[in-house]
Amino acid sequence: MKAFSASGSAKGMNIKMVKNKNILNTDYLIIGNSAAGLSAAENIRKNDKNSPITVLTKEKYSNYSKPLTTYYLAGRLEPGNLYFKKSNFYEENNIDLKTNQNVVSIKSSDNLAITEQGNQYLYNKLLIASGGRPIIPEIRVIDKTGKTLSLDEAMSSVKGIFTLTTLDDAIMIRKYINEYSIKTASILGGGLIGLKAAEALLGLHLNINIVELSDKLLSASFDETASGILIEAIKKSGSSIYCGQTIEEIYTENNSINSFKLSNGRKIPSDLLILAVGVLPDTGYLKNSGIKTDAGIITDSRMKTSIDNIYAAGDIVKSHDVLSGSDKNMAIWPIAVKQGEVAGSNMSGIDTAYPGGFLMNSVEILGMPMISLGQSSIEYDDKNKDLKVYKSHDTDRKIYRKIVVRQNRAVGAILIGAIERAGIYWGLINNNVDVSEIGENIVKEDFGLIQLPADYRKHLVVGEGIEV
Amino acid sequence: MKKIFIDEQYCIGCRLCEIYCQVKHSKSKKILKAFREDQPGTLARVLVEEIGSNSFAIQCRHCEDAPCTGACISGAMAKNENTGVVICDEEKCVGCWSCIMVCPYGVIKRDIKSKKVASKCDLCFDEEEPVCVKNCPNEALKIKEI
Ligand SMILES: Cc1cc2nc3c(=O)[nH]c(=O)nc-3n(C[C@H](O)[C@H](O)[C@H](O)COP(=O)(O)OP(=O)(O)OC[C@H]3O[C@@H](n4cnc5c(N)ncnc54)[C@H](O)[C@@H]3O)c2cc1C
Ligand code: SF4
Ligand code: SF4
């Protein structure tokens, strides 16, 4: 890997300055210091011991896990404990991390990434793993005098309205709660991030309002029963949930939010609002780069973009969903890690395919563990006549299990309460296993490997050493 | 690395492996205390599956390409590159159960007795031989270098 570095790659001297003092030369440039970027960097280093690897992040932090930020919000973890790679990770892998470097454009014809801070990074291979940005819905923000702003404009000027996708967001929210002794907080959006925020705020003993457009919480993965169990538990904690509603107007006083109006006209007092309606691939800065995007970066199965030496991975990518066969945004941690791994391998010369993935999540709210996998919200109906849906619901023990089978293959699962062996279903879905022999045992609480088809059990353990 | 091999045909479902594992990972390391007194108690990290006369014990396979490590949001679940053993750093673990969601063997348990942590086989890295293997009366578990 010689490429543009006229200077070799002595340890600690990864970046050589060429031409002028603002052009920095590296072999592997990675934009994004998170799940996808770092798993790629680690994999590149496994295959290529010497070439310089440079990781850029626009944030000031050296390493933290986004999913852990709600644990910080809840007061369960301090900022120093949010890392997911140990502090010696960069040194051990000889990775040059540059914080506070916000890439504003990519000149792919010159192999250059340009940052707001005035640096230009000359690369041989580039990985774009810069994730998503929070969606800001269109809501009018009105003050006492009737002056109206768009929510987008109000984000920077009105106090008490936040998004929650970075550690800085979480720090600002926690500070706001403490500074103004907030007792009631509202969350717009009952998806994964909204619920994780809710879990954190419930842990701080705040009263919460959740406003969700759909008639269910976690609507992408939960069915009515699962959502119902969750809604009941949250309501029991003294909080309110407004499903089938959105926020129409936000009212402010002294430049701070004090209430909002739902679509049904109801006015709700609130001095804190977290916007959690979703994230979108943040592709704005790629506009003139020549990299093909369509609601996310388009890649091939090697995670390569439309430009030969540029790869992409994680939340910024339009990913292949193996269950629907289509491509969509699947902004979850395990997918980002896997794609990063694949991109890293290919960038460092080991040909590897990304097989695609499917959505899943695991959250625990009010002591109730909940896992959903794949196409879990669907039901047998006119549109889905090829489905077999197995369910078991123990209302006393708050245990709900649902397994969705399409044409003899498991395609989805919801487990609430009894989640222990959830991964077995992940394996069945992932490996496209014929589950017809298992019948309704598949949904039972004591379902285990012992009920699996013998040939799958054998396949599972090839090289891993169970003799069956 | 070393791996535990499971010989289904020799397993008699006695669950001694579970008992020895639980004692080994207990605070007191004494059988009575481990089961009756230790606070917080602990869980066995090997589990026996049984239907009729058919049974086998299973514990973490320390997978080559371990899905649990890629799903872990805290970096707690990690494979030691030198030994190949996949270990959960219980200090770091936040009990999000992402690892449980993707372990195709279903061998990670929720330990919620004190701090919530993912509990799984550590291959008894500090013993000469895993205690489940050592104490199986019928050699249904074997450890081999592969
Ligand atoms: C609050 C919260 C909770 C979550 N909980 C879960 C969960 O429990 N389970 C789960 O599976 N997923 C969860 N997710 C989703 C998960 O965090 C993401 O899927 C994952 O972080 C995606 O990783 P990534 O590497 O693609 O991008 P990100 O994690 O978004 O990282 C992007 C990186 O790129 C950098 N960057 C961005 N733009 C630029 C630029 N222009 N120049 C330089 N650097 C840039 C950023 O600083 C950052 O380092 C959660 C997300 C949030 C926000
Ligand atoms: S816990 Fe499960 S997924 Fe992880 S290494 Fe062990 S067997 Fe594999
Ligand atoms: S439960 Fe612990 S080990 Fe498992 S994924 Fe979550 S943090 Fe990692």
Side-chain angles (χ1 to χ4, degrees):
Chain A
M1 203 53 63
K2 281 207 199 75
F4 303 94
S5 67
S7 47
S9 55
K11 209 173 169 153
M13 304 263 287
N14 277 344
I15 292 196
K16 291 286 165 180
M17 295 172 191
V18 291
K19 283 191 204 155
N20 70 52
K21 73 175 179 10
N22 288 331
I23 296 190
L24 307 155
N25 188 4
T26 186
D27 264 336
Y28 300 98
L29 183 65
I30 297 175
I31 308 175
N33 181 36
S34 184
L38 294 187
S39 79
E42 199 172 5
N43 245 30
I44 292 171
R45 188 50 85 219
K46 267 186 207 153
N47 305 327
D48 182 343
K49 297 280 179 245
N50 298 314
S51 307
I53 302 175
T54 305
V55 172
L56 306 181
T57 170
K58 65 178 173 190
E59 295 171 83
K60 58 178 178 279
Y61 307 103
S62 72
N63 171 280
Y64 75 91
S65 157
K66 285 195 173 184
L68 291 186
T69 55
T70 58
Y71 293 78
Y72 161 78
L73 188 56
R76 285 177 55 190
L77 289 176
E78 284 315 309
N81 278 329
L82 301 181
Y83 62 89
F84 66 100
K85 297 282 185 203
K86 295 205 179 74
S87 55
N88 61 0
F89 170 83
Y90 301 92
E91 203 188 324
E92 235 170 38
N93 287 288
N94 193 12
I95 293 164
D96 196 355
L97 173 67
K98 303 273 183 205
T99 54
N100 290 312
Q101 290 296 310
N102 183 20
V103 178
V104 286
S105 68
I106 289 169
K107 257 196 211 153
S108 55
S109 49
D110 298 336
N111 293 323
L112 276 179
I114 298 148
T115 69
E116 186 189 348
Q117 288 71 18
N119 291 317
Q120 304 193 25
Y121 292 85
L122 182 61
Y123 56 81
N124 182 18
K125 288 194 175 135
L126 172 66
L127 175 70
I128 302 173
S130 50
R133 67 180 158 80
I135 298 171
I136 311 289
E138 281 182 28
I139 301 174
R140 289 182 296 277
V141 181
I142 305 170
D143 74 6
K144 283 248 139 162
T145 67
K147 196 176 129 212
T148 305
L149 294 175
S150 74
L151 182 52
D152 210 16
E153 294 164 333
M155 287 307 292
S156 52
S157 58
V158 172
K159 283 191 279 192
I161 308 177
F162 302 93
T163 54
L164 175 53
T165 59
T166 63
L167 177 54
D168 275 336
D169 291 338
I171 289 174
M172 284 191 297
I173 296 171
R174 191 158 137 183
K175 197 165 156 235
Y176 197 79
I177 290 173
N178 292 336
E179 213 168 292
Y180 297 93
S181 310
I182 304 291
K183 300 276 180 307
T184 302
S186 305
I187 299 163
L188 179 62
L192 178 67
I193 297 181
L195 285 182
K196 288 193 66 172
E199 185 198 9
L201 299 180
L202 285 168
L204 293 175
H205 305 292
L206 263 63
N207 270 319
I208 58 169
N209 304 303
I210 301 176
V211 181
E212 163 61 46
L213 187 59
S214 139
D215 53 359
K216 295 177 297 185
L217 293 182
L218 275 177
S219 61
S221 49
F222 270 18
D223 62 10
E224 241 166 75
T225 312
S227 165
I229 295 169
L230 183 55
I231 289 176
E232 189 190 307
I234 297 178
K235 282 191 172 160
K236 234 188 209 150
S237 75
S239 299
S240 305
I241 297 173
Y242 304 97
C243 277
Q245 296 293 321
T246 187
I247 294 180
E248 245 166 29
E249 290 177 345
I250 293 172
Y251 306 109
T252 65
E253 193 175 343
N254 300 328
N255 223 19
S256 308
I257 175 173
N258 75 8
S259 59
F260 54 80
K261 189 174 83 181
L262 297 178
S263 29
N264 65 7
R266 183 163 171 176
K267 212 171 152 185
I268 310 226
S270 184
D271 28 38
L272 178 88
L273 175 65
I274 297 176
L275 305 170
V277 291
V279 291
L280 281 176
D282 194 3
T283 51
Y285 73 98
L286 304 175
K287 224 177 247 153
N288 303 316
S289 66
I291 298 166
K292 249 199 204 140
T293 64
D294 165 25
I297 297 178
I298 310 281
T299 71
D300 64 10
S301 66
R302 268 60 189 172
M303 304 314 298
K304 196 169 78 178
T305 69
S306 56
I307 292 176
D308 242 1
N309 60 342
I310 303 183
Y311 293 73
D315 283 8
I316 196 163
V317 163
K318 197 165 177 186
S319 307
H320 184 61
D321 175 4
V322 287
L323 296 176
S324 68
S326 59
D327 292 347
K328 61 182 193 193
N329 299 130
M330 296 193 281
I332 57 171
W333 186 269
I335 288 184
V337 170
K338 189 77 206 170
Q339 290 182 343
E341 222 175 271
V342 170
S345 293
N346 288 311
M347 289 169 78
S348 52
I350 309 286
D351 182 49
T352 314
Y354 176 62
F358 50 87
L359 277 177
M360 54 191 170
N361 44 66
S362 169
V363 269
E364 185 167 315
I365 292 190
L366 298 162
M368 272 192 322
M370 305 181 281
I371 284 178
S372 62
L373 293 161
Q375 301 181 334
S376 48
S377 67
I378 48 174
E379 306 283 1
Y380 175 86
D381 57 25
D382 287 347
K383 275 187 287 172
N384 293 294
K385 284 201 163 131
D386 56 347
L387 288 188
K388 273 205 179 109
V389 180
Y390 300 98
K391 292 181 181 178
S392 87
H393 189 184
D394 180 337
T395 45
D396 292 341
R397 289 163 61 226
K398 291 207 173 58
I399 288 175
Y400 178 56
R401 298 166 68 89
K402 169 186 181 180
I403 311 299
V404 183
V405 176
R406 170 175 275 143
Q407 292 162 358
N408 297 332
R409 311 283 184 224
V411 293
I414 300 177
L415 302 170
I416 297 183
I419 62 160
E420 236 79 11
R421 307 202 78 193
I424 298 179
Y425 300 110
W426 180 84
L428 294 174
I429 299 173
N430 211 33
N431 293 300
N432 206 23
V433 181
D434 185 334
V435 296
S436 52
E437 271 176 47
I438 307 172
E440 65 175 333
N441 279 334
I442 199 165
V443 78
K444 300 229 164 101
E445 246 179 88
D446 63 0
F447 173 69
L449 298 176
I450 203 159
Q451 279 123 330
L452 296 183
D455 58 336
Y456 176 57
R457 245 153 82 196
K458 242 181 226 150
H459 154 83
L460 248 195
V461 299
V462 169
E464 308 284 358
I466 307 184
E467 326 234 300
V468 278
Chain B
M1 75 166 292
K2 282 191 173 145
K3 282 228 157 127
I4 296 177
F5 283 71
I6 301 161
D7 244 334
E8 196 171 316
Q9 71 216 45
Y10 296 128
C11 176
I12 53 170
C14 68
R15 297 178 186 261
L16 277 173
C17 50
E18 290 183 355
I19 292 171
Y20 278 96
C21 179
Q22 187 164 342
V23 173
K24 149 83 193 161
H25 293 96
S26 69
K27 222 156 74 184
S28 62
K29 318 267 182 232
K30 302 220 163 54
I31 188 160
L32 257 180
K33 278 201 169 142
F35 279 81
R36 298 232 174 112
E37 290 167 31
D38 278 359
Q39 285 305 334
T42 186
L43 301 169
R45 290 125 191 255
V46 53
L47 66 113
V48 174
E49 289 200 28
E50 190 172 7
I51 293 182
S53 60
N54 199 1
S55 66
F56 59 82
I58 184 152
Q59 62 291 84
C60 171
R61 305 283 85 208
H62 301 278
C63 305
E64 209 37 61
D65 184 12
C68 60
T69 62
C72 178
I73 62 166
S74 74
M77 195 69 87
K79 192 177 186 71
N80 182 313
E81 290 297 336
N82 300 322
T83 62
V85 181
V86 173
I87 287 193
C88 172
D89 174 352
E90 298 191 358
E91 286 288 310
K92 195 76 185 55
C93 173
V94 294
C96 72
W97 321 130
S98 297
C99 51
I100 289 182
M101 173 170 72
V102 300
C103 168
Y105 301 90
V107 290
I108 307 174
K109 290 187 185 172
R110 289 167 71 223
D111 186 345
I112 50 173
K113 291 196 165 107
S114 54
K115 173 184 178 268
K116 291 192 290 184
V117 291
S119 167
K120 67 176 279 299
C121 164
D122 56 9
L123 217 63
C124 292
F125 63 88
D126 53 353
E127 303 272 340
E128 227 165 81
E129 193 177 43
V131 296
C132 56
V133 173
K134 196 167 157 194
N135 293 288
C136 174
N138 218 20
E139 293 187 24
L141 296 171
K142 295 192 188 74
I143 185 135
K144 289 187 214 160
E145 190 70 46
I146 55 159

